Amino acid sequence: MKDEPKKPYIKPEVTQVPLRPEEAVLGNCKSSNTGGPVNSTMCSTTACMTIGS
Amino acid sequence: MTSSPRSLAIRIADLTIALTSEDPRLAVPPEGAMRQFVVDEAEPDLRLQARWAKLEAVSGAEPLFDSGGLWRLVAANGSLRFSFTSPPLGSLPYKIASVDRGLTAGEIWLHQPYFPSGLPVNPLEYPLDELLLIHLLAAGRGVEVHACGVMDSGGQGYLFAGQSGAGKTTMAKLWQMAEGARGAGGVMILSDDRIILRKIDGTVWMYGTPWHGEAAMARAARAPMAGIYLLRHGQSNKLVSLRPSDAAARLLACSFPPFYHSGGLDFTLGFLEQVVEAVPCHELWFTPDERVVTLVGGS
């Protein structure tokens, strides 16, 4: 069986990818820092998602 | 007099959550984009009951995660408990959702003194609905990503991922404008902010969700994925191929896995690896003009 040619060595690299924890954990409504009954009309699913990108 | 239990079910990315309550005010049909995700009663993946309660501060439970915002997660009596507090109300939770670790059944308790009497309340109010979905997905089903999803007139799906400010809503609007100018129609924006990815029978599908962005684009539909584009603002429109490892890392940074759950995170990493191996991935540098639609469509 014919040997497969070796792949060229590629030195591993560390790449930093920025994470935004405040977005990633769904910690807050997007339209307000409050949630629940104190602003239940503001915090419906529709209103909470009004500030997207 | 006891009223009959009321129920409703929502189905997102082919996952169904059913909600039942003795109080009709706790099982009213949702408003906004979520309305199109309401389905007739079906066999749900997760069955929940909602009721009023007098809640106390959570104690004696094993803390698992604190979001730093509205919610915390603890383990108690073999269950997972999502506890929601709102600073203006004080330290007591206004809502607790308790689900079994298999995510098949649970209860939602709402702190009655905090809610105006007589008004309907959505027990699944954001972010609980989205939290439950990302946990269901992380149990071997898929992943939600911070992305805009477009299905073109040929039924092919294109994913444009990026964090807030990357241009997801802008991209959605450009696709709509380009199609309008051509008079072709048929483009569907599945969401301008949140897309769920699942692999079913060897095909990677992208699903619309009700959690939209500022353009309020949300559709209960799915498309097979033809391309993944990581958004970057540029001086011109340009596509740069990405190695799968880079694409997976960039997608992970735009995804919503349960970072505090090692099993869920393991699954998410493996799933994203499968996705980027199956679908061409590019970095998309773009300016806000419609030519980018042609560039992507021709790639």
Side-chain angles (χ1 to χ4, degrees), chain B residues 111-182:
Chain B
H111 188 57
Q112 192 159 27
Y114 283 172
F115 290 82
S117 62
L119 295 178
V121 174
N122 174 13
L124 288 169
E125 180 189 62
Y126 179 89
L128 176 58
D129 48 6
E130 194 170 358
L131 285 171
L132 292 172
L133 249 295
I134 66 174
H135 282 76
L136 285 168
L137 289 166
R141 297 180 174 102
V143 68
E144 182 181 59
V145 290
H146 207 170
C148 158
V150 175
M151 180 167 70
D152 71 9
S153 52
Q156 296 297 304
Y158 302 92
L159 186 83
F160 302 95
Q163 292 158 336
S164 292
K168 297 183 292 296
T169 294
T170 300
M171 185 60 67
K173 289 177 176 174
L174 289 173
W175 276 81
Q176 282 195 326
M177 284 191 292
E179 285 298 301
R182 285 205 293 259

Side-chain angles (χ1 to χ4, degrees), chain A residues 3-5 7 11-13 15 19 21 25 27 30 34-36 43 50:
Chain A
D3 287 340
E4 290 287 327
K7 288 182 180 175
K11 189 179 176 184
E13 291 175 21
T15 306
L19 191 65
V25 302
K30 293 173 100 180
T34 60
C43 208
T50 53

Side-chain angles (χ1 to χ4, degrees), chain B:
Chain B
M1 191 179 83
T2 304
S3 59
S4 302
R6 290 276 299 272
S7 63
L8 66 90
I10 56 172
R11 190 167 179 80
I12 301 166
D14 287 334
L15 294 168
T16 305
I17 298 176
L19 177 73
T20 305
S21 180
E22 296 288 337
D23 188 334
R25 287 182 302 155
L26 297 182
V28 294
E31 298 180 341
M34 186 65 86
R35 278 184 299 191
Q36 60 180 302
F37 293 83
V38 173
V39 293
D40 292 334
E41 189 71 44
E43 189 57 38
D45 297 277
L46 173 59
R47 191 184 299 275
L48 296 168
Q49 284 195 314
R51 63 179 173 84
W52 299 109
K54 294 278 176 62
L55 297 176
E56 298 176 351
V58 176
S59 62
E62 177 195 353
L64 298 178
F65 186 73
D66 187 337
S67 72
L70 287 174
W71 65 276
R72 294 189 307 142
L73 178 63
V74 301
N77 301 324
S79 298
L80 297 173
R81 289 190 179 178
F82 297 88
S83 171
F84 296 82
T85 56
S86 182
L89 293 172
S91 58
L92 289 181
Y94 66 86
K95 177 168 69 180
I96 292 177
S98 177
V99 295
D100 68 279
R101 285 183 178 271
L103 300 168
T104 60
E107 291 193 334
I108 302 173
W109 307 310
L110 296 119
H111 188 57
Q112 192 159 27
Y114 283 172
F115 290 82
S117 62
L119 295 178
V121 174
N122 174 13
L124 288 169
E125 180 189 62
Y126 179 89
L128 176 58
D129 48 6
E130 194 170 358
L131 285 171
L132 292 172
L133 249 295
I134 66 174
H135 282 76
L136 285 168
L137 289 166
R141 297 180 174 102
V143 68
E144 182 181 59
V145 290
H146 207 170
C148 158
V150 175
M151 180 167 70
D152 71 9
S153 52
Q156 296 297 304
Y158 302 92
L159 186 83
F160 302 95
Q163 292 158 336
S164 292
K168 297 183 292 296
T169 294
T170 300
M171 185 60 67
K173 289 177 176 174
L174 289 173
W175 276 81
Q176 282 195 326
M177 284 191 292
E179 285 298 301
R182 285 205 293 259
V187 162
M188 181 188 290
I189 310 299
L190 299 178
S191 172
D192 62 339
D193 203 58
R194 299 280 207 273
I195 290 289
I196 287 173
L197 308 182
R198 300 192 66 184
K199 191 174 183 185
I200 298 171
D201 295 333
T203 300
V204 181
W205 294 87
M206 48 189 262
Y207 288 80
T209 73
W211 306 294
H212 55 72
E214 63 183 10
M217 297 173 180
R219 295 293 293 268
R222 71 174 187 173
M225 282 183 67
I228 295 172
Y229 304 88
L230 280 303
L231 294 176
R232 299 289 293 266
H233 296 292
Q235 299 300 315
S236 61
N237 297 322
K238 183 174 66 172
L239 281 171
V240 179
S241 287
L242 283 174
R243 292 182 302 173
S245 57
D246 289 336
R250 296 274 299 275
L251 266 186
L252 179 67
C254 299
S255 66
F256 300 93
F259 287 100
Y260 37 87
H261 183 251
S262 61
L265 203 50
D266 276 350
F267 166 75
T268 302
L269 288 167
F271 178 79
L272 290 177
E273 187 179 348
Q274 290 181 46
V275 169
V276 300
E277 292 287 353
V279 182
C281 301
H282 295 86
E283 192 169 55
L284 175 58
W285 295 79
F286 81 105
T287 58
D289 68 63
E290 296 166 30
R291 287 172 296 183
V292 70
V293 175
T294 306
L295 178 67
V296 170
S299 67

